[in-house]
Amino acid sequence: MSVNRLTVRYGTGCSDCENGIGLQKNRCPKCGTIWALRDAAFSLYQGEVLGVVGESGSGKSTMMKCICFDESPTLGEYTVHTGGGNAFQLSRQSQKQFRNERMGMVYQNPMLGLKMDYSVTSNIAENLIASNCKNVSHLRARVTELLEIVEISPFRMKEKPKYFSGGMQQRVQIAKAIANNPQILLLDEVTTGLDLSVQAKVLDVIKKIIREFNVAVILVSHDLAVIKMLADRTVVMLDGEIIERGLTDQVMEDPQHPYTQQLVHSLL
Amino acid sequence: MNRNYNFAYLDESSKREIRRAILNAIAIPGFQVPFGSRELPIGRGWGTGGIQITLSIILPDDTLKVIDQGSDDSVNAVSIKRFISECTGVGMTTDSETASVIQSRHRIPEIPLRSDQILVLQVPEPEPLKLVEGSEVEARRMHAEKDYNLMWLRLFEDLVQFDEIVAAAGYPVMVNGRYLTNPSPIPRYDVPKLNMSETLCLFGAGREKKIYAIPPYTRVEALSFEDVPFAVESFGDHYCCKCGAKGVFLDESYNEKTGEKYYQCSDTGYCNGRRAAGNRADIVCK
Ligand SMILES: Nc1ncnc2c1ncn2[C@@H]1O[C@H](COP(=O)(O)OP(=O)(O)O)[C@@H](O)[C@H]1O
Ligand SMILES: [Mg+2]
Ligand SMILES: [Zn+2]
């Protein structure tokens, strides 16, 4: 998949900020427009993990939401496979279908990704049902498999995620996201806010998935250590723009942009 | 017949407007058509949606049957009958075979209806998605996009929690493979009667100001999973203690003194007909 010229702005824009003049961080002081994402571009292959790193407010979640069609960008092209058209221009129904069948998304906030009043089983089965599996025994069997992958006891199948810990909720989200063997898996700050020991378990699950599934992963984190552990390539975001990109090792060892240099140094 | 009113109470232009909504509803099976619900001398929630449909389609030589949960003589059915009788003068019947228009709440008569009859069902809540989506705007979007995943998920959740789908009355159905529709609070037992029915079925919701229709010979399918078939209520070996009918929809009652259960036909017109023909049960209703 690849994304080009991806831009999301909140506000009308003005002659200054449309040309990138006078922005304070991502905001135009003249017209008040917020440029959450500006001219972002990257591509990603099956089996590859792209790390997206950047401070809070730099546009990481906005980028994820565009890619999974939660949000329509102001501008941009999104090619899912070579020869395919711009997926941003598909009908809402086609976008949803594509997303249900071929994408998985794990939200930073589990409230966005899970139906807290439905059982774990229903949550994990949701995309399967939406992509037309209407066979209850198949659904149950697949959910059982997935629970094993994310290391949740099958005895908890009927429970509602609202009674789960943060780490468990993220693992339920992951199980839901990979249910359809997606082509693209989006992980937005999956471990943020979790205790270190809990983080480790979630990261183990993600490592296992990356190893065993031939899936293109976009891994968003403001934690460089997580990116370093899992990402093949990395892009660094600042104020809505991608300011640095490269192989993860290269970005870590030889950062070019002052912001990246500062990030990497703080990790050492 | 009370001549202070126009025939059938509503003025001709109101009736025409409601008939136009009905025609739209017939043209798009299962789609909820908004209409300007009129004030009637009967409170909303007492079947005013159904009554307005009946008043708009009824003709002087029609014969009307009104039933409430299967019964011809409940307070609700009687007051609707009295009102329509006063303002139209049409003949009334309890016999489903002789009726040309049948207005009903919560039941479809036992005997199969015919193409020269119209069934009008009273609907308290027309929106099948209300169960899973509180916002009307969002529900409309879901209908437009034929996005019924939330309803499927709701049914699946029932299977996860209870090993069966709980929805009893008003089981969600797909009409003509397109619109998810609330068949009104009829029992599951009555749902298959709607599929490829010879009879035009009109649904009126007065409070919610919606009319929808299932035209004759329209596919109506209860939502169900491949390996969990849709099942209707079953009454085992029980039969009606008045007429002995078996395999019909039975109401269960308790004798308050002895606590004993007994069953009788929910469709009282059907039961009376059977008894008039000499059918009796070998037990008595207590
Ligand atoms: N609906 C919105 N309206 C206005 N500004 C928004 C909206 N959503 C996000 N933003 C702004 O867009 C910027 C990027 O946000 P986000 O993508 O959530 O950042 P990140 O995930 O990197 O923390 C932030 O400045 C945020 O305040
Ligand atoms: Mg974010
Ligand atoms: Zn009987």
Side-chain angles (χ1 to χ4, degrees), chain A residues 28-247:
Chain A
C28 172
K30 200 169 142 197
C31 69
T33 296
I34 288 171
W35 294 80
L37 205 57
R38 199 180 179 101
D39 217 10
F42 63 85
S43 57
L44 182 62
Y45 301 94
Q46 289 311 113
E48 197 184 23
V49 181
L50 178 73
V52 178
V53 69
E55 63 188 18
S56 179
S58 60
K60 307 181 297 296
S61 292
T62 304
M63 191 157 86
M64 292 299 104
K65 285 181 197 156
C66 290
I67 291 168
C68 74
F69 304 115
D70 272 351
E71 191 163 326
S72 305
T74 311
L75 196 84
E77 293 102 44
Y78 177 10
T79 318
V80 178
H81 49 80
T82 38
N86 184 356
F88 288 135
Q89 275 159 14
L90 291 172
S91 70
R92 237 183 96 91
Q93 277 147 297
S94 312
Q95 289 183 342
K96 255 197 223 156
Q97 189 184 352
F98 184 81
R99 178 204 158 114
N100 288 334
E101 293 175 6
R102 319 262 288 277
M103 270 191 213
M105 167 87 178
V106 176
Y107 293 85
Q108 177 170 3
N109 178 356
M111 300 278 282
L112 292 178
L114 297 176
K115 296 195 162 53
M116 292 297 177
D117 284 319
Y118 283 70
S119 63
V120 167
T121 302
S122 291
N123 271 289
I124 296 176
E126 186 175 354
N127 292 354
L128 297 166
I129 293 173
S131 25
N132 231 6
C133 174
K134 298 286 153 61
N135 185 302
V136 175
S137 27
H138 289 178
L139 290 166
R140 285 185 198 268
R142 180 69 179 139
V143 169
T144 309
E145 263 171 35
L146 290 159
L147 285 174
E148 198 182 320
I149 295 174
V150 299
E151 295 166 32
I152 293 177
S153 158
F155 294 113
R156 313 201 64 168
M157 281 178 92
K158 286 190 182 188
E159 291 177 31
K160 297 175 178 169
K162 67 176 168 192
Y163 302 118
F164 281 15
S165 67
M168 288 262 282
Q169 290 178 346
Q170 291 311 54
R171 281 182 283 142
V172 175
Q173 279 209 80
I174 293 170
K176 173 182 174 175
I178 61 171
N180 264 327
N181 288 317
Q183 192 177 327
I184 302 166
L185 179 61
L186 308 174
L187 305 169
D188 191 359
E189 309 261 14
V190 195
T191 57
T192 302
L194 302 178
D195 290 345
L196 279 182
S197 61
V198 179
Q199 274 193 30
K201 183 145 188 186
V202 175
L203 289 172
D204 279 344
V205 168
I206 294 173
K207 264 196 243 175
K208 182 162 68 181
I209 289 166
I210 292 172
R211 209 168 45 232
E212 290 172 18
F213 296 78
N214 183 37
V215 54
V217 181
I218 304 181
L219 175 77
V220 168
S221 182
H222 63 254
D223 184 348
L224 265 191
V226 171
I227 299 285
K228 196 171 173 181
M229 178 179 2
L230 298 172
D232 302 312
R233 285 187 298 131
T234 294
V235 298
V236 182
M237 296 189 63
L238 181 63
D239 301 335
E241 289 184 273
I242 294 179
I243 51 144
E244 179 143 8
R245 64 179 72 233
L247 295 172

Side-chain angles (χ1 to χ4, degrees), chain B residues 25-30 174-179 181 191-201 213-221:
Chain B
I26 293 169
I28 318 171
M174 277 303 274
V175 171
N176 200 28
R178 177 58 184 86
Y179 283 103
T181 304
V191 168
K193 296 177 188 168
L194 292 170
N195 184 37
M196 297 310 270
S197 149
E198 281 183 29
T199 315
L200 170 62
C201 302
I214 300 177
Y217 304 106
T218 302
R219 258 188 311 132
V220 176
E221 298 147 304

Side-chain angles (χ1 to χ4, degrees), chain A residues 96 119 122 134 136-137, chain B residues 141 145 147 157 161 226-227:
Chain A
K96 255 197 223 156
S119 63
S122 291
K134 298 286 153 61
V136 175
S137 27
Chain B
R141 181 198 62 72
E145 295 179 2
D147 172 3
E157 176 72 4
Q161 299 295 353
E226 285 163 18
D227 51 343

